[in-house]
Amino acid sequence: MSATHAYMHEPNPRMAGCALQPLEIPSDIVEHIRDLMFDSDSKRKPPTDVEQWYRARSSEADQGKRAVAWKTGKLFQPDNLFFRTVDTGRLLPMALAHFRVQFYAIESHWEFVETQKTKEEFAGGTLGALMHGLLLLRNVHDYGGADMPVIIVDWQTPILEAALDYWVEASKNQWSETERAKQFCQVASMHPGLNPCLYQVDRCVRSLLRGDDPDVGYVAPVIAFYQFHKNGKCFPLFTRASHAFPGLQSFPITCGAAQCEEPDCGYWNMKAARSLHSPSPMVGKPNRKDDRVVCNLWGCEVQHTEQTKLQQCIKCKEVLYCSRAHQSLDWHVHKCVCEKKT
């Protein structure tokens, strides 16, 4: 039996046996790069495509509630951009959504990088390029989004999309082991010299999804795949469809640079995003409950139900509270976004 076929029968892969090596960027560095980027973007005239996208999204509401809220007249800054979370229904500011980023790459990639700069310098530059997309993916989660894995691959788009489709179909748990091995090998054979090979990336992906790997420690709500070559893009794979931001596919596909005239020069391909089937034995249970609506004061877990009716903010009618006391406690945050609908 070949090594590839033997791998297909391994039910519980571990990150410890994976050839992809992680480099973690801690949350304070992520926030520093985020703030530098916003300081630069806020000074650009005319506004960047991303800034215009936020303004347009903040004027759109579904059943009276916005997925993104940005108060009229406020600066384009993390303190002023609020997101509707998919797991609690709260409207929370970007500035309070701390997270770490883990870059996964094979040893030869890190060796190549270090011929030109340090791994940390590469990671910081790449993080700056991917930041707006990562912020969008992170901020729709109240709980469970504090780690954002990015897998670096030197793959062309058809191969990457075929691999994403493979994981989506595998998550349905409908294949026999023989069929699974066949589908795996079909993707791997599209380009025999894949770098890294599909075997190692698959091990990394499944380890990130399991939730019980001590070398990971979380179930990622989304995994990003970054193509490490000229004009490479980043592709998101969500662990379930509800983890995706509403209207994700409208995210700008340009880089936002003032002098750039390329129509498709951005770092993200949100239109190619995939979502795994849910529930799936491939994906561990996240340490949270999804699809709830709770009191907007962070930390309060009083849930809006038929039996327990929470009260709307009278002014904006976009958030709920369990009591006047909690509304008062939340006001120093909520006032940055609260405004009467026109």
Side-chain angles (χ1 to χ4, degrees):
M1 181 179 292
S2 71
T4 297
H5 285 173
Y7 175 67
M8 302 310 298
H9 291 276
E10 183 183 359
N12 301 313
R14 296 287 183 178
M15 192 65 78
C18 180
L20 274 68
Q21 302 175 0
L23 174 64
E24 180 168 287
I25 309 300
S27 60
D28 59 332
I29 301 298
V30 173
E31 290 165 29
H32 177 67
I33 295 174
R34 178 201 68 193
D35 292 344
L36 288 176
M37 182 188 68
F38 270 92
D39 286 343
S40 174
D41 284 356
S42 64
K43 297 173 184 176
R44 293 189 184 182
K45 303 297 180 185
T48 66
D49 289 348
V50 171
E51 182 175 346
Q52 294 180 63
W53 180 84
Y54 271 104
R55 182 56 75 191
R57 292 296 302 174
S58 69
S59 65
E60 301 172 1
D62 181 14
Q63 298 181 349
K65 293 185 178 181
R66 295 175 292 176
V68 170
W70 179 12
K71 192 172 183 177
T72 305
K74 288 287 187 177
L75 295 176
F76 185 55
Q77 291 291 334
D79 288 333
N80 300 325
L81 299 175
F82 284 64
F83 289 77
R84 180 82 53 194
T85 60
V86 298
D87 51 324
T88 62
R90 291 187 176 113
L91 198 58
L92 298 175
M94 175 188 290
L96 297 183
H98 309 299
F99 66 101
R100 301 171 291 268
V101 176
Q102 294 88 28
F103 288 100
Y104 290 89
I106 57 173
E107 183 178 5
S108 62
H109 168 81
W110 294 127
E111 290 174 349
F112 172 77
V113 165
E114 290 187 311
T115 64
Q116 304 174 47
K117 59 186 72 175
T118 67
K119 291 193 292 186
E120 290 73 18
E121 288 172 334
F122 164 82
T126 304
L127 180 57
L130 302 181
M131 181 62 77
H132 274 305
L134 289 173
L135 289 169
L136 182 62
L137 302 180
R138 162 64 182 102
N139 279 271
V140 295
H141 301 281
D142 191 343
Y143 299 105
D147 291 278
M148 300 293 291
V150 179
I151 299 176
I152 299 174
V153 295
D154 188 13
W155 296 359
Q156 295 301 315
T157 297
I159 298 171
L160 179 51
E161 292 194 312
L164 294 174
D165 289 337
Y166 164 78
W167 288 309
V168 171
E169 291 302 313
S171 70
K172 296 177 182 179
N173 199 34
Q174 296 176 346
W175 286 337
S176 65
E177 287 298 335
T178 301
E179 180 63 21
R180 183 184 176 105
K182 175 183 175 182
Q183 296 295 330
F184 179 92
C185 292
Q186 283 182 352
V187 177
S189 65
M190 290 177 67
H191 193 296
L194 283 180
N195 188 23
C197 68
L198 181 62
Y199 170 88
Q200 293 297 344
V201 177
D202 183 54
R203 173 183 283 273
C204 184
V205 168
R206 293 201 288 150
S207 298
L208 288 169
L209 295 175
R210 283 177 47 80
D212 61 355
D213 189 331
D215 291 319
V216 178
Y218 61 88
V219 177
V222 59
I223 301 173
F225 298 82
Y226 180 53
Q227 296 172 302
F228 184 64
H229 54 71
K230 185 178 180 180
N231 300 322
K233 307 289 185 185
C234 206
F235 293 66
L237 175 65
F238 296 97
T239 52
R240 57 187 297 180
S242 63
H243 289 169
F245 176 83
L248 181 74
Q249 295 191 348
S250 66
F251 192 74
I253 59 174
T254 57
C255 67
Q259 306 301 321
C260 183
E261 297 181 354
E262 295 292 329
D264 184 22
C265 55
Y267 296 99
W268 286 89
N269 188 344
M270 297 298 189
K271 292 182 178 180
R274 268 65 162 186
S275 298
L276 299 179
H277 181 77
S278 180
S280 171
M282 280 177 58
V283 183
K285 293 183 179 180
N287 188 25
R288 73 180 201 191
K289 297 178 181 179
D290 277 353
D291 308 320
R292 299 179 297 148
V293 176
V294 302
C295 175
N296 203 66
L297 177 66
W298 198 87
C300 177
E301 293 300 310
V302 176
Q303 186 171 346
H304 183 66
T305 65
E306 287 296 324
Q307 294 73 34
T308 305
K309 300 287 188 180
L310 304 186
Q311 300 301 308
Q312 286 184 329
C313 171
I314 295 175
K315 187 175 182 180
C316 68
K317 297 181 171 35
E318 288 197 287
V319 297
L320 301 174
Y321 294 100
C322 67
S323 65
R324 286 187 177 273
H326 278 193
Q327 184 175 13
S328 296
L329 288 171
D330 192 47
W331 180 242
H332 74 287
V333 175
H334 183 59
K335 67 181 180 181
C336 296
V337 73
C338 184
E339 58 183 338
K340 189 175 182 178
K341 292 185 174 64
T342 57

